[in-house]
Amino acid sequence: MSIDISEQYDKIYRYLYFRLKNQHLAEDLTQETFLRFFESSSYRDAGRPLAYLYTIARNLCMDEFRKVSTEELKEEMVQKGFEDEVVERQNLQQAMDSLTKEEQELLLLRYVNEVAFSDLCKLYGKSRFALYRELSKITEKLERRISDGT
Amino acid sequence: MERKRREELAVYFEAPKPERKQAFVRQSGLPKMNLWHVVAMQTRYVSKGVWICSVLFFGAAFLIAQTAEQRYMNMVLGFVPFLVMFSVTESTRSYRYGMEELEMSARFSLKSIVMARLVMLGLGNLAMLTGAMLVLRSQMQVNPIYFMTPYFMTAGGGLYIVRSVRGKESNMLCFALAAFVCVATLCLPWQFKDVYLPQNAWIWTCACVAGVMLTIRESLCTIRMMGELV
């Protein structure tokens, strides 16, 4: 009935950090996401609360990108030492870099944040079959790139 | 996807530890609750009269069972509509007294509260009915369908009434419906002597199925109506 804030906070934060690459901004928008979620659905059951939560987070990201230009985002917002964290995962890093941002996002939401298929369908506005097919293609592409790299 | 690959992805997408999470979560003050917790919580707000009525019904069934006389069975059946009447009017109490706006501003939606009440009272009634049936069956020949039919007819009709009529008039109409079903149940054997014979069970089955479908339909409409109040 109500979402587990503590669990979803980490997931939404992870998602926003992936999009924005800035810890403080990601945390600000995470809290903003939850505040907006509680404001609008405190007495009305959204059919899919998780999908609604991610939609708010996504929209806040879009607003943030509109405020700051792409060049500024790259120069100021990229967290130092980010590359250091994944230096040991070279193959996966290279394979992931070959995927588009949208493909990476889908992998993050489905396999790391464990968002249910029905919520993802609502978030992306696609049918289960289309989303499943897309996810399968992305997974195959990733595995191919990883095996090419080894 | 393999578990190992998922773990690698989790490391890839790992973010620095959030610094303000605990403060925010503490401030939000909304502990996790599931449906059964809400249902249990609603138990405190149900009128004592509803529970007393259920216990009286069970007590009456028990006493009648002691007589072990088949002809008194329909007296027990006559009580069933009143059992469900209290539950139906209780579930939609906030709507009847114009409190729905206040309840909507609370943590849980009115839709959730009504659903929780319907679940709890419905389960409670079914437990009472099952208990009464078991007691009676130990003493005489009783087909469960004889209990279920007046129960679901009253439940479905009662939910329709509370949805269509606002205010205390809905209470009176629900009582009238329960009284009608009660009298009909009591008088049936006088008019149709063979009504409780096994060969006529199909009539009861059809009536029961119609009652169940009506109850489900009206329950969904009631819950949907609470959501549309926003």
Side-chain angles (χ1 to χ4, degrees):
Chain A
M1 291 187 94
S2 59
I3 55 167
D4 184 351
I5 302 175
S6 186
E7 182 188 343
Q8 294 307 325
Y9 188 101
D10 289 328
K11 292 182 178 180
I12 296 290
Y13 168 72
R14 188 185 301 134
Y15 170 71
L16 286 167
Y17 181 79
F18 159 73
R19 295 292 301 267
L20 300 165
K21 299 288 187 275
N22 181 286
Q23 181 182 351
H24 299 295
L25 190 57
E27 201 155 8
D28 285 344
L29 294 192
T30 301
Q31 295 188 5
E32 182 66 27
T33 300
F34 279 100
L35 289 173
R36 289 198 187 189
F37 178 79
F38 292 136
E39 263 173 38
S40 61
S41 68
S42 59
Y43 55 83
R44 184 185 65 223
D45 278 344
R48 296 254 159 228
L50 269 188
Y52 189 55
L53 198 61
Y54 277 100
T55 305
I56 297 173
R58 216 181 194 201
N59 291 341
L60 286 172
C61 271
M62 308 275 205
D63 293 343
E64 200 56 39
F65 286 142
R66 277 191 212 109
K67 279 186 214 167
V68 184
S69 69
T70 318
E71 288 76 27
E72 286 178 42
L73 197 70
K74 279 183 183 166
E75 286 170 14
E76 295 173 11
M77 303 284 199
V78 172
Q79 192 83 352
K80 285 186 183 169
F82 180 68
E83 289 85 0
D84 294 340
E85 291 179 62
V86 295
V87 70
E88 293 174 359
R89 311 271 176 189
Q90 283 275 330
N91 276 340
L92 182 66
Q93 170 80 54
Q94 285 167 8
M96 289 296 286
D97 287 345
S98 69
L99 299 179
T100 64
K101 209 72 176 162
E102 289 72 29
E103 288 171 341
Q104 290 182 28
E105 181 182 286
L106 196 51
L107 287 177
L108 164 66
L109 291 178
R110 180 71 191 124
Y111 296 118
V112 183
N113 279 7
E114 294 176 331
V115 178
F117 245 103
S118 33
D119 290 321
L120 286 176
C121 291
K122 193 156 168 89
L123 180 66
Y124 287 101
K126 291 181 180 173
S127 68
R128 283 182 87 97
F129 178 69
L131 200 65
Y132 180 78
R133 206 169 46 174
E134 193 177 333
L135 203 54
S136 299
K137 273 189 196 165
I138 296 169
T139 315
E140 278 170 25
K141 191 175 168 186
L142 179 69
E143 292 299 333
R144 209 167 40 244
R145 297 286 158 88
I146 291 173
S147 53
D148 288 347
T150 53
Chain B
M1 187 178 266
E2 286 175 11
R3 190 189 171 88
K4 183 169 164 282
R5 187 69 69 223
R6 286 184 193 232
E7 287 168 3
E8 286 175 356
L9 281 178
V11 172
Y12 176 83
F13 286 115
E14 200 175 335
K17 202 166 159 12
E19 289 168 358
R20 291 169 274 154
K21 178 186 169 183
Q22 294 308 324
F24 181 76
V25 170
R26 218 178 306 123
Q27 177 195 325
S28 301
L30 292 174
K32 184 179 168 187
M33 270 198 200
N34 60 23
L35 169 68
W36 298 111
H37 195 161
V38 176
V39 168
M41 218 166 59
Q42 285 300 306
T43 313
R44 287 186 295 152
Y45 299 102
V46 174
S47 301
K48 302 292 180 291
V50 174
W51 303 120
I52 292 170
C53 181
S54 302
V55 170
L56 284 176
F57 168 76
F58 185 74
F62 183 76
L63 285 172
I64 288 171
Q66 302 308 306
T67 67
E69 297 227 18
Q70 191 79 22
R71 59 189 169 143
Y72 294 136
M73 184 192 67
N74 63 317
M75 286 187 189
V76 177
L77 301 182
F79 282 121
V80 172
F82 293 102
L83 180 71
V84 75
M85 184 204 78
F86 281 109
S87 301
V88 164
T89 53
E90 184 65 23
S91 301
T92 52
R93 194 161 46 143
S94 56
Y95 181 63
R96 207 167 60 251
Y97 289 104
M99 295 289 287
E100 68 275 15
E101 298 252 339
L102 184 65
E103 291 209 14
M104 275 196 299
S105 66
R107 179 184 169 183
F108 293 103
S109 69
L110 183 61
K111 206 160 68 166
S112 307
I113 297 296
V114 168
M115 196 170 72
R117 284 184 191 157
L118 284 173
V119 166
M120 178 189 51
L121 291 167
L123 287 177
N125 284 342
L126 283 173
M128 282 288 164
L129 276 176
T130 307
M133 271 190 289
L134 288 172
V135 167
L136 284 171
R137 274 171 82 91
S138 65
Q139 303 289 341
M140 56 180 86
Q141 294 291 326
V142 173
N143 191 335
I145 208 100
Y146 301 147
F147 284 84
M148 293 298 160
T149 306
Y151 177 85
F152 284 112
M153 301 288 262
T154 315
L159 284 168
Y160 175 76
I161 289 169
V162 294
R163 201 163 59 79
S164 312
V165 179
R166 211 171 149 139
K168 290 183 183 174
E169 287 80 17
S170 66
N171 259 14
M172 289 181 346
L173 285 170
C174 281
F175 186 81
L177 172 69
F180 171 76
V181 176
C182 169
V183 168
T185 310
L186 289 170
C187 294
L188 261 178
W190 298 346
Q191 281 293 103
F192 307 100
K193 291 197 181 341
D194 303 333
V195 72
Y196 288 117
L197 290 177
Q199 52 260 38
N200 293 326
W202 67 272
I203 302 171
W204 287 92
T205 307
C206 292
C208 187
V209 167
V212 168
M213 286 168 63
L214 180 65
T215 304
I216 293 171
R217 182 187 177 277
E218 290 303 323
S219 300
L220 293 172
C221 287
T222 302
I223 292 167
R224 204 176 301 131
M225 183 188 71
M226 298 301 160
E228 284 165 6
L229 288 170
V230 175

